Amino acid sequence: MYYRLFLLAAVLPSCFGESSVDDAAEMVLAFAGGAVLLPCNFSLPASGDFPTLEWSKQGLHPNVVFLYRDACEVHEEKHPAFWYRTSLIAKELKNGNFSLRIANVRLSDAGTYRCKRLWSDGPRDVTAVELVVGTSSHVYSSGDEKPSSEK
Ligand SMILES: *[C@@H]1O[C@H](CO)[C@@H](O)[C@H](O)[C@H]1NC(C)=O
Ligand SMILES: *[C@@H]1O[C@H](CO)[C@@H](O)[C@H](O)[C@H]1NC(C)=O
């Protein structure tokens, strides 16, 4: 049953070819219950203004999974399914690295995410990332233990 869900989740995003950014979508694999980092980096506003940036998920309503405005997270607009699960990496922000961490990944998280920069002195660039979520009995039964063979 999980196997079928996984296949469905992996295939669905390609049904919505709404925009050309999909061509460039980077694929990231995560496992249910784990954490994952979706990459996104932009050069910071030349004006020195605080950047505003939106991470969204295609097909979700509302589609916001993380909103960062004037250097603060805006919780109110985040979809409840992602409450307490998405974050940016504070120490990376000054480098223009807005990669999104998703904790406690669910099968339903699979899909296409967009990282959109919303500052005015640059193009409204979008980075697309496709998240594939897997789960398997193999991972659960043998993946918990770290290899401890090194002497
Ligand atoms: C993001 O970082 C990568 C690796 O450092 C770099 O190749 C790429 O040009 C950067 N993208 C932007 C938009 O700054
Ligand atoms: C962004 O930050 C993450 C977490 O520290 C790091 O793994 C990744 O390499 C960084 N990406 C870039 C383009 O610097």
Side-chain angles (χ1 to χ4, degrees):
M1 176 200 164
Y2 277 139
Y3 181 60
R4 246 186 258 143
L5 276 176
F6 168 49
L7 277 185
L8 186 66
V11 164
L12 267 179
S14 60
C15 303
F16 302 90
E18 76 170 21
S19 146
S20 59
V21 291
D22 284 350
D23 298 341
E26 185 171 338
M27 194 176 284
V28 173
L29 175 67
F31 288 97
V36 68
L37 195 67
L38 306 184
C40 174
N41 60 296
F42 291 125
S43 42
L44 290 166
S47 61
D49 289 348
F50 290 118
T52 293
L53 177 126
E54 179 194 271
W55 270 101
S56 60
K57 181 172 188 275
Q58 192 169 304
L60 196 70
H61 302 284
N63 67 357
V64 175
V65 299
F66 197 96
L67 181 61
Y68 184 73
R69 183 187 289 149
D70 297 335
C72 290
E73 178 180 2
V74 182
H75 294 271
E76 295 74 27
E77 308 207 17
K78 193 193 278 197
H79 191 284
F82 287 88
W83 282 351
Y84 311 114
R85 294 201 299 127
T86 50
S87 55
L88 303 182
I89 297 167
K91 69 175 171 48
E92 294 286 351
L93 298 176
K94 63 179 185 307
N95 305 321
N97 181 347
F98 299 99
S99 300
L100 182 76
R101 185 176 189 273
I102 305 179
N104 193 13
V105 171
R106 303 170 182 172
L107 288 172
S108 56
D109 292 346
T112 303
Y113 291 76
R114 287 189 170 77
C115 174
K116 186 165 30 164
R117 92 167 160 186
L118 299 169
W119 47 97
S120 48
D121 63 350
R124 299 214 149 189
D125 278 353
V126 176
T127 301
V129 181
E130 185 164 339
L131 178 64
V132 175
V133 181
T135 181
S136 76
S137 53
H138 177 75
V139 168
Y140 285 132
S141 61
S142 66
D144 293 335
E145 280 197 14
K146 295 206 175 76
S148 54
S149 50
E150 295 110 286
K151 291 264 152 70

